[in-house]
Amino acid sequence: MSLVKNEWMKIFSKVSTYIFIAFLLLAALGTAIIDYKLSPDETSKDWKQELNADIQEQQKALEAKEISKDEKAMIMEEINLNKQLLADNINPDLNTNWTYMAEWTTSLTSFVTLFVVIVCSSLVSSEFSDGTIKQLLIRPYKRWKILLSKYITSLLFAALLLASLLIFSYLIGIIFFGNGSYSDKIMDPASFEFSPVVVGEYFVDMIVYWIPGFLVITTIAFMLSTLFKNQALAVGISIFILFASSTLNMVIQSFIGKYEWLKFVLFPHIDLRGYISGTIEMFDGATLGFSMGVLGIYYLIFLALTFFFFQKKDITN
């Protein structure tokens, strides 16, 4: 615990840590303002009455003599959508703190990943760059304990940033949109089809399914921090992997039908949120259990390599 406390103090001795937290606050505030500006001016009306009125107007429009087939098909789609919204008791103009978080906060988690990658990839490499690694290792602790304390600190910092984002978003959402119900129904924000979801459950699922891939990316960044003595190189490679992962995923997806072994490559499994509503493309035959298993194996491999190389590393400058 003393080692963890020491590493925690190191993290909060850097100005960048406070900048990261402040950025998450500003990002939550900025997206709330955007959402508020885009929301309807009046949301207190009887939305069911409005939908029924819209349906009546659309049905009248169908009776027009000069209407084309394309226009008729479009109006029919709108009528069917409005009827489905009424049948499932879904307010299309609903705007609460929960709808805001479901639409915006789930995207802001990418900033948490970026900031954690930057910190994790410099936790060990910075000790070499600053020349403090020798002073660290002469302390009466085994190497693996020192490294474990850094890894635990990185996970705690990741949890802090995620908790900060969720708290900021929840409170800012209440200020701008009011405290809504966890059980309100909305349309899946990531789907282009009629796909009703319970807003609170959807938001929790989006966060929970994001965490495993986030944990693996964090561990990769931490591993690179132990492999490279140059801090800039470790941070640069970690950020490159982070931003290149989506591109690599698309490339692998295009060849996965030809080469079965590509199913075991890491990148198609990083974002598990595709299993929630099928909005993120997954390869044929992919299951949540299989993806979790692949992530778990890679996680253990990366963690084992991290501790192995640090134990064997030559501490000379």
Side-chain angles (χ1 to χ4, degrees):
M1 288 304 298
S2 61
L3 287 172
V4 172
K5 288 179 182 178
N6 183 55
E7 295 299 328
W8 192 252
M9 290 172 62
K10 286 182 183 179
I11 287 180
F12 278 89
S13 67
K14 299 177 181 179
V15 178
S16 58
T17 299
Y18 300 96
I19 293 176
F20 293 155
I21 296 174
F23 183 90
L24 292 178
L25 174 60
L26 293 176
L29 182 61
T31 51
I33 292 173
I34 293 172
D35 194 10
Y36 183 79
K37 293 293 183 181
L38 294 176
S39 62
D41 294 333
E42 298 180 4
T43 57
S44 59
K45 293 182 179 180
D46 187 343
W47 63 272
K48 291 184 178 180
Q49 185 177 351
E50 287 185 352
L51 282 182
N52 281 316
D54 289 342
I55 291 173
Q56 291 177 0
E57 291 180 5
Q58 290 158 352
Q59 288 174 338
K60 288 181 181 179
L62 287 176
E63 299 173 0
K65 296 181 180 179
E66 299 178 354
I67 189 173
S68 66
K69 290 183 178 180
D70 291 338
E71 290 175 331
K72 186 174 182 180
M74 188 179 298
I75 293 173
M76 285 298 298
E77 286 183 8
E78 292 177 355
I79 291 175
N80 291 332
L81 174 60
N82 287 337
K83 287 182 177 180
Q84 286 178 313
L85 291 172
L86 286 171
D88 287 284
N89 196 33
I90 300 174
N91 180 0
D93 296 327
L94 183 67
N95 234 357
T96 67
N97 59 324
W98 285 106
T99 62
Y100 157 70
M101 289 191 294
E103 294 177 9
W104 294 92
T105 305
T106 50
S107 299
L108 294 179
T109 53
S110 58
F111 289 112
V112 174
T113 305
L114 175 61
F115 298 154
V116 172
V117 163
I118 292 173
V119 171
C120 286
S121 57
S122 63
L123 274 178
V124 181
S125 58
S126 63
E127 300 282 1
F128 288 97
S129 297
D130 298 339
T132 57
I133 189 65
K134 287 183 177 180
Q135 289 89 332
L136 183 66
L137 294 182
I138 61 175
R139 302 179 68 182
Y141 297 102
K142 294 182 179 180
R143 281 195 182 189
W144 69 267
K145 287 187 177 182
I146 293 173
L147 188 62
L148 181 59
S149 69
K150 286 182 174 291
Y151 185 66
I152 291 174
T153 304
S154 69
L155 296 183
L156 290 175
F157 180 70
L160 172 67
L161 287 190
L162 178 59
S164 298
L165 175 63
L166 298 182
I167 293 171
F168 292 155
S169 298
Y170 184 79
L171 296 178
I172 290 173
I174 290 176
I175 293 171
F176 279 85
F177 311 108
N179 191 14
S181 173
Y182 178 92
S183 58
D184 282 333
K185 284 187 177 181
I186 62 168
M187 297 293 294
D188 187 338
S191 178
F192 294 101
E193 300 177 355
F194 185 82
S195 181
V197 293
V198 175
V199 63
E201 293 178 0
Y202 174 84
F203 173 72
V204 171
D205 284 345
M206 288 291 282
I207 297 298
V208 170
Y209 279 60
W210 164 80
I211 288 176
F214 168 65
L215 182 60
V216 172
I217 290 292
T218 299
T219 306
I220 291 175
F222 188 75
M223 179 184 68
L224 293 173
S225 181
T226 64
L227 295 179
F228 298 102
K229 293 183 178 181
N230 186 295
Q231 179 181 351
L233 185 62
V235 173
I237 294 177
S238 299
I239 293 177
F240 172 77
I241 292 175
L242 175 62
F243 284 102
S245 61
S246 58
T247 303
L248 291 172
N249 180 30
M250 288 189 292
V251 173
I252 292 170
Q253 292 274 13
S254 62
F255 288 100
I256 211 165
K258 284 186 177 182
Y259 308 101
E260 287 289 319
W261 60 269
L262 288 175
K263 292 181 179 180
F264 299 96
V265 177
L266 172 65
F267 297 105
H269 305 279
I270 288 179
D271 197 342
L272 298 178
R273 290 176 294 184
Y275 291 110
I276 296 177
S277 56
T279 53
I280 300 175
E281 185 179 357
M282 306 296 290
F283 58 84
D284 292 337
T287 64
L288 177 60
F290 179 72
S291 292
M292 285 291 292
V294 171
L295 286 176
I297 292 171
Y298 275 101
Y299 173 76
L300 293 175
I301 291 173
F302 293 145
L303 209 55
L305 289 174
T306 300
F307 280 85
F308 175 79
F309 282 110
F310 188 74
Q311 286 286 105
K312 300 295 183 181
K313 205 171 188 68
D314 181 23
I315 311 299
T316 56
N317 290 325

